Amino acid sequence: MIERTLAIIKPDACRKNYLGLILARYEKEGFRICAGKMQWLSQRQAEGFYHVHRERPFFSSLTRFMSSGPVLTLVLEKENAIADHRTLMGATDPQKAEGGTLRKLYGGSIEENAVHGSDSPETARFEIAYFFPSVEIF
Ligand code: CMP
């Protein structure tokens, strides 16, 4: 089934100039980039986006990091996009991620792990709508 997923290229990867490499990899792996926006999130926006993690000990550090510089938010489309993007990203902790995955290649730590991806169809719906009105998705 053709699916859409929300991807974020996080502030660490933007700072390290990995945008082009990551976008090229998405296209190489068959994802169609159907929306994209560079933005500097406020901590409030990051808190709303990650509200499911609000009780976690890392919540305030995570939302500070996510609002520490620009991010590139994307909607990616392909067959099985949600699971395939998660495979391409690799484990949350770059040290535990498989070789060749985006987090292994470009992530620095469990928090500064280069990319985010939706983890289920319900999450993808919420996350895409959080950043993109339907007229901005092509
Ligand atoms: P992401 O896939 O964006 O979803 C939640 C984020 O929280 C995760 O990537 C990491 O950036 C961060 N995170 C998850 N677990 C930890 C942890 N144990 N310590 C710090 N940050 C974490």
Side-chain angles (χ1 to χ4, degrees), residues 80-96:
N80 208 31
I82 297 168
D84 285 0
H85 182 228
R86 291 184 71 78
T87 303
L88 177 60
M89 289 193 302
T92 306
D93 182 349
Q95 286 194 353
K96 297 186 181 145

Side-chain angles (χ1 to χ4, degrees), residues 10 50 53 58 62 92 103 110-111 113 115-116:
K10 297 186 179 188
Y50 279 120
H53 296 303
F58 56 80
L62 170 65
T92 306
R103 285 169 168 164
I110 193 163
E111 180 170 270
N113 60 358
V115 283
H116 167 83

